[in-house]
Amino acid sequence: MRLIMFGAPGAGKGTQAAILSERLGVPTISTGNILRSAVKNRTSVGLQAQSYMDAGKLVPDEVIIGIIAERLEEADCQKGYILDGVPRTIAQAQALEKAGVRFDCVLDIEVSDQEICHRMYGRRSCPVCGATYHVEAAPPKQEGVCDHCGNTLTLREDDKPETVLSRLETYHRQTEPLKEFYESRGILKVVPFQPTIEATTQAIADILGI
């Protein structure tokens, strides 16, 4: 099964991708991870990416797509894969098609901006051990203090209101048009908003018939 996880930042794509990956026995392909791996392994496309990064430039779409196509050729992807974080634009989606990459289903996890802001503004993380909490949904035993190592919890840069709003604006402008793109190909499946991780997992399982 070849899947794309789609949705706004904070919608839970990474969490659901990890659960699906284990259930289906296929790898989750995260753009950031494979970019770092290609650079580390000094593949031909990885070296291209490195040259842009060394110059302080954004890695262009054709290099990103080349790295993804290279990764999908590996043995562990032969039974399927889950893409998380790509494509982000219609240009990237078109480039994937041109490279011969096809998908069985695009899962669109629907979460309102209001709910995403609520989730992300309430997140706290430990800068030392990496443990994460939520002031309402999963608070630490002692307010502002990590249960595991006792350090002071912080609000990550990514979770600050101005950053969250900026990321949502970018998503709506650049990425949301992909819904129509994949709907026109008959593979977009909408996962309606669910109140818990478990309910979202069940909704996805119902859609996929697994």
Side-chain angles (χ1 to χ4, degrees), residues 2-3 17 25 28 32 34 37 45 47 50 56 72 78 101 105 109 119 121 124 128 142 158 165 177 182 185 187 197:
R2 300 162 302 179
L3 305 171
T28 296
I34 61 170
S37 177
V45 193
L47 290 170
Q50 182 74 62
L72 298 183
Q78 297 316 299
V101 179
C105 181
I109 302 176
R119 285 181 186 180
Y121 297 171
R124 298 292 182 273
V128 179
Q142 183 182 342
D158 274 2
L165 293 173
Y182 284 116
R185 282 147 178 77
I187 58 172
I197 290 171

Side-chain angles (χ1 to χ4, degrees), residues 29-74:
I29 311 298
S30 155
T31 316
N33 289 346
I34 61 170
L35 183 57
R36 283 187 289 273
S37 177
V39 169
K40 182 183 174 185
N41 295 331
R42 300 184 67 79
T43 68
S44 59
V45 193
L47 290 170
Q48 274 185 282
Q50 182 74 62
S51 67
Y52 286 98
M53 291 158 73
D54 287 347
K57 297 177 181 176
L58 286 175
V59 180
D61 281 353
E62 60 266 25
V63 178
I64 294 284
I65 300 307
I67 286 173
I68 292 166
E70 194 174 70
R71 176 68 183 86
L72 298 183
E73 289 296 315
E74 293 183 24

